[in-house]
Amino acid sequence: MNMREIDITRGIVENHIESLYRALESDVVIVGGGPSGLVAGGYLAQKGFNITILEKRLSPGGGIWGGGMGYKYVIIQEEAKGVLDDFGIPCRPYKDNYFCVDSINFASGLIFEATKRGVNIFNLTECEDLLVRDGRVTGVVVNSSLTQLAHLPVDPITFEAKAVVDATGHDHDVVRTFSNKNDVKLNTPTGKPMGERSMFAETAEQAVVTNTKEVYPGLFVCGMSTAAVYGGFRMGPIFGGMLLSGKKLAGLLEECCSR
Ligand code: 48F
């Protein structure tokens, strides 16, 4: 075999550019590759939508990998087991209403299934701002995480989307930046992000699903960022709410993107 390094490089560059072109006009851009974003993306891609996930770290999976304090299992309540089944992730029953999931299996399983369904995930890629037109979010402003890390003065590029999702977890990075930079009234009781509260798992798990919604025209929140945006409690290493939030979001966005 006559192996040429330039062919290896061409294969990488051509395929990356093709993925990038597909992302430029996405149906939905989900910022954050944690459990809620991966689940929402996976369900939507299965229905044929063009879904892009931006993940600023090297590995998607967000807060799954660390389990609880580095102990490698997480807990799912019975109501959310159907989502695990839909993504082919094994679990084992624990007590009456809970299931234990190996966090490595959980993170890798969600990532693998989402990408198999066609979700276009860009790692090392950060959303640093939003595109806004006539009172509506119309896309994202994107840069390499490495540029950000090195504080280099490199301009970003943009992706358009029918809807953008803040799935950035505790940081609520997208909504926070949007609210700080613009004189906008969010769909929250105060019109601003309200800040996350201390731990109260049961209330938190319900609220995370209730507060999965459109927070500004074209901008949605899911997962843990709903707590920071709507003043919800935190829940710790129980993950059913994240899965159900992602599933609810997929339903909302299917409606929004089909209009
Ligand atoms: O935090 P994360 O896992 O989000 P989630 O889906 O799930 C929360 C749970 O993991 C856990 C919990 C609560 O106790 O159950 O916290 O709400 O994943 C968020 C992802 O977003 C990425 C970040 O690296 C992480 O992987 N992220 C954050 N800001 C940006 C971003 C950004 N500006 N651009 C791209 N990715």
Side-chain angles (χ1 to χ4, degrees):
M1 184 184 177
N2 179 16
M3 188 182 286
R4 291 182 66 202
E5 291 82 357
I6 198 69
D7 288 333
I8 298 168
T9 303
R10 274 202 186 97
I12 293 167
V13 172
E14 282 174 17
N15 281 284
H16 189 82
I17 296 296
E18 196 182 301
S19 287
L20 209 47
Y21 257 90
R22 187 151 62 86
L24 294 186
E25 290 178 274
S26 300
D27 287 317
V28 181
V29 171
I30 298 172
V31 184
S36 62
L38 288 166
V39 165
Y43 279 124
L44 285 162
Q46 193 175 34
K47 298 256 170 166
F49 292 101
N50 178 11
I51 306 300
T52 300
I53 293 186
L54 306 178
E55 171 50 58
K56 70 178 181 181
R57 296 194 193 133
L58 187 55
S59 309
I64 299 174
W65 297 104
M69 207 188 78
Y71 293 8
K72 76 182 186 110
Y73 281 88
V74 299
I75 301 295
I76 304 279
Q77 58 277 50
E78 190 157 29
E79 300 92 286
K81 174 159 186 302
V83 181
L84 284 183
D85 295 342
D86 285 347
F87 280 75
I89 295 165
C91 59
R92 71 167 96 113
Y94 180 69
K95 302 224 164 172
D96 284 346
N97 300 313
Y98 299 122
F99 293 86
C100 260
V101 188
D102 178 312
S103 58
I104 310 297
N105 234 208
F106 188 21
S108 59
L110 285 182
I111 297 164
F112 188 46
E113 187 58 26
T115 51
K116 272 200 299 179
R117 292 179 187 188
V119 177
N120 198 4
I121 304 182
F122 293 88
N123 61 347
L124 291 176
T125 306
E126 186 158 339
C127 170
E128 60 173 54
D129 205 344
L130 293 176
L131 295 177
V132 190
R133 286 283 179 286
D134 303 324
R136 185 176 181 84
V137 171
T138 57
V140 286
V141 177
V142 178
N143 217 328
S144 159
S145 303
L146 303 177
T147 299
Q148 298 283 16
L149 269 176
H151 302 292
L152 297 174
V154 178
D155 263 323
I157 59 171
T158 54
F159 297 171
E160 278 187 6
K162 293 175 187 153
V164 173
V165 180
D166 185 331
T168 65
H170 296 272
D171 283 355
H172 67 298
D173 206 19
V174 177
V175 173
R176 184 168 38 77
T177 303
F178 179 59
S179 175
N180 285 343
K181 288 183 101 162
N182 301 282
D183 183 22
V184 287
K185 189 171 184 317
L186 302 176
N187 167 26
T188 65
T190 60
K192 297 278 168 204
M194 295 169 68
E196 183 187 298
R197 300 163 81 184
S198 296
M199 195 181 289
F200 184 176
E202 189 172 347
T203 305
E205 283 290 273
Q206 287 163 6
V208 103
V209 182
T210 308
N211 291 328
T212 296
K213 50 176 125 163
E214 193 169 20
V215 67
Y216 189 82
L219 179 61
F220 291 73
V221 282
C222 71
M224 205 55 211
S225 71
T226 62
V229 171
Y230 285 97
F233 292 94
R234 70 184 304 189
M235 74 290 290
I238 178 152
F239 276 72
M242 298 302 137
L243 302 183
L244 295 172
S245 166
K247 187 171 181 180
K248 175 180 172 185
L249 180 75
L252 297 176
L253 290 175
E254 193 182 332
E255 215 176 282
C256 164
C257 293
S258 310
R259 268 181 227 148

